Amino acid sequence: MDYLFQILGPLLDGTAVTLQVFLLTLVLAVPLGLALALIRVSHFRSLSRLVSGYIWLMRGTPLMLQMLFIYFALPFVPVIGIRLPDFPAAIVAFTLNYAAYFAEIFRSGIQSVGRGQYEAARVLGMSYSQTMRRIILPQVVKRILPPMSNETITLVKDTSLIYVLAMNDLLRAARGIVQRDFTTMPFAVAAAFYLIMTLVLTWGFMRLEKRYAVYED
């Protein structure tokens, strides 16, 4: 037990970094994903195709590769030439990547709503933005909760990829202690921390699903 208390400090510090990456990614990627989804289902064909290409690119390449590109290669891109520190580079990569996945979830939710509701809103004199805000999106939220739950839990686990940028997240902190003390206990504690985080997220989404299920027929 004494050893467990000794390693809790570094592991908690690593958990704080993991949670920062997770929360910032979620706060930035969800609204960006919604905006991309709305553009993709809009009647602006050129913008819709551009967004489709972006989603294809971000979903078709590994997140780790995207992080490495933003951190190492972006400074050498002509005109842009931006050099980001490790933490902002990780946030940008995670946000751009997960926004693409969230965009597809939102798009499927929007397109699952029957066309008749759009026509009814048009008859009532609602604009496209009013239709989306008052009629479509409230229904979309209920329908996308299960896939959003899965993607959010995946995000928690994907935060471990930031070790490639030498950031001291939970997994890197655990690995450092394992290499120093030649014991696998830190890995077991780190696994418990990840399980607790996913348990809290699972519980939260289950509560949301039950809340919105009240309004089902």
Side-chain angles (χ1 to χ4, degrees):
M1 288 298 293
D2 290 338
Y3 179 72
L4 180 60
F5 285 116
Q6 290 176 11
I7 66 175
L8 274 181
L11 292 178
L12 288 173
D13 291 339
T15 303
V17 175
T18 294
L19 289 175
Q20 288 176 30
V21 174
F22 168 76
L23 292 174
L24 282 173
T25 300
L26 205 60
V27 168
L28 296 173
V30 169
L32 179 57
L34 176 58
L36 292 173
L38 292 174
I39 294 173
R40 186 159 184 207
V41 300
S42 69
H43 298 295
F44 301 102
R45 293 188 178 275
S46 57
L47 287 176
S48 178
R49 289 173 181 172
L50 187 63
V51 169
S52 296
Y54 167 80
I55 293 173
W56 168 77
L57 176 65
M58 301 308 292
R59 296 177 69 199
T61 54
L63 174 56
M64 184 183 296
L65 180 61
Q66 295 165 17
M67 275 195 296
L68 293 174
F69 177 84
I70 291 174
Y71 186 68
F72 292 107
L74 196 59
F76 301 101
V77 175
V79 182
I80 301 176
I82 300 175
R83 184 179 297 276
L84 295 174
D86 51 6
F87 188 80
I91 296 300
V92 170
F94 270 80
T95 299
L96 294 178
N97 180 275
Y98 270 85
Y101 285 93
F102 288 145
E104 282 298 276
I105 292 174
F106 281 117
R107 179 195 60 79
S108 63
I110 292 171
Q111 292 182 334
S112 69
V113 179
R115 298 299 304 176
Q117 299 195 40
Y118 291 91
E119 296 171 0
R122 192 179 301 114
V123 170
L124 293 173
M126 290 186 178
S127 64
Y128 179 78
S129 61
Q130 290 175 325
T131 302
M132 280 292 175
R133 188 174 66 254
R134 298 180 181 179
I135 298 177
I136 306 302
L137 291 182
Q139 299 179 68
V140 168
V141 171
K142 177 179 66 177
R143 301 182 184 196
I144 66 171
L145 282 176
M148 283 292 288
S149 173
N150 291 335
E151 205 62 45
T152 304
I153 290 173
T154 300
L155 172 58
V156 172
K157 295 179 288 185
D158 277 352
T159 56
S160 61
L161 295 175
I162 63 176
Y163 81 91
V164 299
L165 302 184
M167 293 176 61
N168 196 34
D169 69 310
L170 173 58
L171 185 59
R172 185 178 178 86
R175 186 178 63 174
I177 299 173
V178 168
Q179 292 173 340
R180 183 194 68 193
D181 299 340
F182 300 100
T183 174
T184 58
M185 180 179 288
F187 282 150
V189 178
F193 282 6
Y194 280 113
L195 287 171
I196 291 171
M197 287 186 280
T198 56
L199 178 64
V200 171
L201 288 172
T202 302
W203 176 81
F205 275 100
M206 286 178 62
R207 290 291 300 270
L208 285 174
E209 288 181 32
K210 288 181 180 179
R211 175 182 176 184
Y212 280 95
V214 173
Y215 302 101
E216 292 181 352
D217 293 331

